[in-house]
Amino acid sequence: MLGKPVAHSLSPVLHEAAYRALGLADWTYERVELDAAGLAGFVSALGPEWAGLSVTMPGKRAALEFATRASARARAAGAANTLVREDSGWFADCTDVDGVVGALRFAGGFTAATGSTGVILGAGGTAAATVVAFAELGVARARLVVRDPARAGETIAAAQRAGVETEVLVWAEVDFAKAVSDASVLVSTVPPAAVAEHAAELAAADCVLDVIYHPWPTPLAEAVAARGGRVATGLDMLLHQAFGQVEQFTGQPAPRAAMRDALRAATENVLPLPIA
């Protein structure tokens, strides 16, 4: 796993559990502290024993640029969290999209009417993957709520590539209740404190994904629970994005139950972490 910082990452828990369950006793998964500038040189020097790499920030865009070949969804998102060894080089993919889709469908119980609207709080890298996930889920419009519209350009570009219409709302001026009144889904990518005073209004969205999982529960998650709704979490995202990585690295179906159980054991959060 490449990124900076990576010491806190739970990805090794998931991958090591998967390799054990698949009987791949000699496979390992390690954290490597690396910034974006060092990615190309590091990966170029790897031997043939390396099957693949997970990439986290700040190297996801560098991973896409480095790759010999890339999936359509990685190109749409403008970033790659997965590099897979091929005979001719490295293949880049963005299983972060799987993370959002899986978390919403299996933890949040999300089903979208074609042409529906989704709301995203924030416009960073997770937001870019989310608009690509919206396209896969049938969500036609994304309403971005951001503090600085000038920083939403990459997410808007990702939405355009994915065929999702966008509307940008300025955080200080938005009516949060109105913003989610017709939304089939809300995805929050911002710190819990930023959402706290608006949590009750935002919890009215049909389905909610809060990508933060520590500390848990967040004010938004508590508000969703108070109204009897279901909330998907960042741990659900982490789990579902890892399934695709394991399958691409090993060529075998991901042992989902083993990975879920390992993640649950490694965290203090008591979360559903569905495996469907």
Side-chain angles (χ1 to χ4, degrees):
M1 176 177 200
L2 309 181
K4 189 174 183 177
V6 291
H8 66 288
S9 174
L10 290 168
S11 289
V13 171
L14 293 166
H15 283 262
E16 289 167 4
Y19 303 152
R20 288 194 299 270
L22 294 172
L24 302 172
D26 58 342
W27 280 53
T28 62
Y29 185 94
E30 301 169 2
R31 301 177 181 92
V32 178
E33 194 91 357
L34 191 72
D35 61 17
L39 184 142
F42 178 87
V43 179
S44 295
L46 296 178
E49 70 276 11
W50 289 74
L53 298 158
S54 303
V55 183
T56 189
M57 295 304 288
K60 292 184 180 182
R61 293 184 182 87
L64 179 62
E65 294 170 0
F66 169 80
T68 313
R69 193 170 66 90
S71 67
R73 62 186 182 178
R75 291 193 299 271
N81 74 325
T82 306
L83 288 172
V84 184
R85 168 83 74 180
E86 295 187 321
D87 291 340
S88 59
W90 292 88
F91 172 72
D93 192 18
C94 185
T95 68
D96 287 333
V97 176
D98 292 335
V100 176
V101 170
L104 288 172
R105 281 181 173 164
F106 304 119
F110 176 72
T111 56
T114 301
S116 60
T117 297
V119 174
I120 303 172
L121 306 182
T126 301
T130 298
V131 293
V132 180
F134 278 2
E136 184 172 324
L137 290 163
V139 177
R141 292 177 296 277
R143 193 170 289 144
L144 307 178
V145 184
V146 299
R147 295 195 182 279
D148 181 4
R151 301 179 65 180
E154 291 178 354
T155 299
I156 293 170
Q160 291 173 338
R161 290 189 292 264
V164 175
E165 296 179 17
T166 56
E167 175 187 5
V168 178
L169 304 178
V170 179
W171 191 285
E173 302 171 359
V174 70
D175 179 334
F176 284 91
K178 184 177 179 181
V180 302
S181 62
D182 62 343
S184 61
V185 59
L186 166 73
V187 177
S188 176
T189 71
V190 300
V195 180
E197 66 179 299
H198 306 293
E201 301 146 274
L202 293 168
D206 290 343
C207 180
V208 175
L209 165 60
D210 192 336
V211 307
I212 303 299
Y213 57 82
H214 183 76
W216 190 264
T218 63
L220 179 57
E222 290 180 323
V224 174
R227 72 165 180 82
R230 298 178 66 187
V231 60
T233 77
L235 284 180
D236 296 304
M237 272 186 61
L238 180 68
L239 181 66
H240 283 273
Q241 65 82 29
F243 294 155
Q245 287 189 334
V246 166
E247 291 175 355
Q248 292 188 60
F249 293 169
T250 68
Q252 300 185 51
R256 296 186 170 209
M259 294 170 70
R260 175 207 60 194
D261 292 346
L263 183 58
R264 179 177 288 156
T267 65
E268 297 178 357
N269 299 290
V270 182
L271 300 173
L273 294 173
I275 61 170

